[in-house]
Amino acid sequence: MDFLTGLWTELTSGEYPVVSFLFFLNIILLFLARPIINLVAPDQDNKTKIKIAQALNLLVLVMQIVDFAMRQSFEWYSGGYLRNLGISLMVIYTGVFIYSASGTFTRKRFGKSRTFDGKVSYVESYNSRLVNIVLLSMIVLTVVYILIEVWGADSLLETTGIIGILLVFLGFTSSIWAPDIVSGLIILNSEMLVDGDVVVIDGHSNEYIIARVTLIYAVLYDVRNNHRTLLRNTQFIQSRIDNLSRIASSDGIRQAFKYNIGYPVLSETRQEREIELAAFRKNIGDMFTRSYEACQASDEIKINQNKPFEWAMTNAGDYALEYTMWAYLERIPNTKVTATIRRHLMGTLFKINETVFTASVIEGVDLSTPDLVNARISNDAALLDGQNTANPKPS
């Protein structure tokens, strides 16, 4: 009881105003960590951040209590180490908190608003990222300066001190982190790649949703495999990127479907061939038209209802005629849910294929392509086979 009384007397006496303020601040933050973090980082999974913040508050409180107990129990301990360590942890924690809060503010003030699944969210822009970089530099320098003052290491502020070492370190490592920061600014400044866009990266067959573009890296959601992918900003924009969410016209995304249709069997006379060829072409046209009408009638197939399918014979091969059909899809919705994109994009493409097959059966158009094989038996092989038959080997 005397220990708690002595601790309370020291905290309220004003002898250590910084320690007193730090003690009561940690108690307040321990109970308000959850609402504060949820306010700073809304619409995110903050369970880990909340636990880390509460654990840090408890650690600093324990350090202060242990520091006071050691000063009361041991004459050789004059105090200061644990107290400074707790203050240092709180300074670093405050710097991280201020940067997170400023990031939320700059996104609302200088970023862009987008609607995902009917909910308005704020995403990074070129201006907000520049402001964040400036704030980050100021916060880091301020935190370093305060830590030096707390530990009384003013000599570190000299040219050969910690500031000089920090600047030299940043200079030598600039080739590692600077290109990614510049690439991130290029991504945001182009306004062609923003959070929620569905993209296809050259060299990768899958579609990705841009989840977040940070200072150094970009987080992507793999639509087909339903996992997360991380790419450095330099890797992200080093090749061609097709943005499926940014269409060139109001017609929608244009997708091509290729079908191999066997050559028609025609008669020998010219007039009959003309009639049979016209009927063959009509069946193919009716097949694609029937497919478009079936897609129009289905709510699950997301095509442009005002843009009919287009088709043409694109290749006359050795074994079959290649027909290409082009379909126009609806605009991809603004969402970060991979299941929604799969239903809208892959589900539509697969169902269009199915309607074409169904229409081909109804119209009598065979989409299977037989392999033609020319077999020839040489005279020498036939002669040798006849000799073997006339003179069988003894058993």
Side-chain angles (χ1 to χ4, degrees):
M1 189 68 180
D2 294 337
F3 171 77
L4 296 177
T5 304
L7 177 61
W8 176 258
T9 302
E10 182 175 291
L11 291 175
T12 56
S13 63
E15 183 179 357
Y16 299 101
V18 175
V19 177
S20 304
F21 173 75
L22 189 62
F23 184 84
F24 292 111
L25 178 63
N26 275 279
I27 295 178
I28 295 173
L29 292 179
L30 183 63
F31 295 99
L32 298 181
R34 184 181 301 276
I36 291 176
I37 293 178
N38 288 332
L39 179 64
V40 172
D43 304 326
Q44 296 183 18
D45 187 6
N46 298 319
K47 293 181 180 178
T48 303
K49 296 180 181 179
I50 294 172
K51 291 180 180 179
I52 293 175
Q54 292 176 339
L56 180 62
N57 295 138
L58 286 175
L59 178 61
V60 174
L61 286 173
V62 170
M63 284 182 178
Q64 288 185 285
I65 295 174
V66 172
D67 179 78
F68 173 77
M70 292 181 66
R71 282 190 285 108
Q72 296 295 322
S73 304
F74 304 101
E75 295 181 357
W76 55 266
Y77 183 78
S78 60
Y81 178 77
L82 291 178
R83 179 189 61 194
N84 291 344
L85 185 58
I87 294 175
S88 300
L89 291 176
M90 287 304 298
V91 168
I92 297 174
Y93 172 75
T94 304
V96 174
F97 175 79
I98 292 175
Y99 178 71
S100 300
S102 63
T104 303
F105 171 76
T106 54
R107 279 196 301 271
K108 292 183 178 181
R109 181 65 178 83
F110 302 102
K112 295 182 179 297
S113 62
R114 295 198 66 185
T115 303
F116 298 106
D117 301 316
K119 189 174 183 180
V120 178
S121 300
Y122 294 92
V123 299
E124 293 282 3
S125 66
Y126 179 77
N127 295 330
S128 66
R129 180 56 50 82
L130 280 180
V131 174
N132 284 338
I133 293 175
V134 174
L135 290 175
L136 178 62
S137 303
M138 295 175 59
I139 292 172
V140 169
L141 292 177
T142 303
V143 168
V144 171
Y145 178 78
I146 294 175
L147 292 178
I148 292 174
E149 291 293 332
V150 168
W151 291 97
D154 294 338
S155 60
L156 295 177
L157 295 175
E158 299 175 0
T159 306
T160 58
I162 188 64
I163 301 298
I165 296 174
L166 180 61
L167 293 177
V168 171
F169 173 77
L170 293 177
F172 277 109
T173 60
S174 60
S175 60
I176 299 176
W177 51 265
D180 291 312
I181 293 179
V182 174
S183 298
L185 292 175
I186 293 173
I187 293 173
L188 296 175
N189 187 47
S190 66
E191 297 185 355
M192 277 292 298
L193 301 169
V194 297
D195 293 3
D197 285 354
V198 180
V199 298
V200 177
I201 306 173
D202 191 23
H204 302 267
S205 58
N206 293 354
E207 296 81 4
Y208 296 93
I209 301 175
I210 300 177
R212 187 184 179 191
V213 179
T214 66
L215 280 174
I216 306 297
Y217 58 87
V219 179
L220 310 175
Y221 295 161
D222 192 317
V223 176
R224 293 180 182 265
N225 298 325
N226 202 32
H227 62 238
R228 300 190 182 195
T229 302
L230 186 142
L231 284 177
R232 292 178 57 179
N233 290 336
T234 51
Q235 295 175 322
F236 186 36
I237 64 172
Q238 69 181 358
S239 57
R240 190 187 74 183
I241 301 175
D242 295 327
N243 193 336
L244 304 183
S245 298
R246 304 297 181 93
I247 56 179
S249 68
S250 59
D251 293 338
I253 302 175
R254 193 170 187 252
Q255 291 289 328
F257 300 82
K258 296 183 182 297
Y259 301 98
N260 291 330
I261 300 174
Y263 282 89
V265 179
L266 304 177
S267 302
E268 296 182 357
T269 63
R270 178 176 180 177
Q271 293 181 346
E272 291 177 346
R273 287 200 301 270
E274 290 180 354
I275 296 174
E276 292 169 351
L277 181 59
F280 174 76
R281 289 175 174 170
K282 183 178 183 302
N283 289 339
I284 294 176
D286 291 343
M287 176 186 68
F288 291 131
T289 301
R290 185 183 292 273
S291 171
Y292 172 70
E293 293 173 351
C295 292
Q296 273 188 314
S298 176
D299 295 333
E300 297 180 354
I301 303 178
K302 308 299 182 180
I303 64 169
N304 187 347
Q305 300 283 344
N306 301 319
K307 192 67 178 178
F309 292 166
E310 302 171 355
W311 60 87
M313 189 186 75
T314 53
N315 188 21
D318 294 334
Y319 303 107
L321 299 172
E322 181 188 82
Y323 274 82
T324 302
M325 184 194 75
W326 292 275
Y328 294 87
L329 309 185
E330 283 184 358
R331 182 185 292 273
I332 294 178
N334 291 330
T335 180
K336 292 185 180 181
V337 181
T338 55
T340 303
I341 301 299
R342 279 198 299 272
R343 288 193 300 268
H344 186 97
L345 192 58
M346 292 80 183
T348 296
L349 299 181
F350 297 152
K351 287 181 173 63
I352 290 176
N353 251 333
E354 187 175 355
T355 60
V356 172
F357 169 72
T358 303
S360 70
V361 174
I362 296 175
E363 298 296 336
V365 179
D366 191 3
L367 299 181
S368 62
T369 306
D371 291 333
L372 303 180
V373 178
N374 293 325
R376 182 175 63 85
I377 302 178
S378 64
N379 294 333
D380 294 339
L383 179 61
L384 181 60
D385 185 64
Q387 291 176 352
N388 292 337
T389 304
N391 300 310
K393 293 181 181 180
S395 59

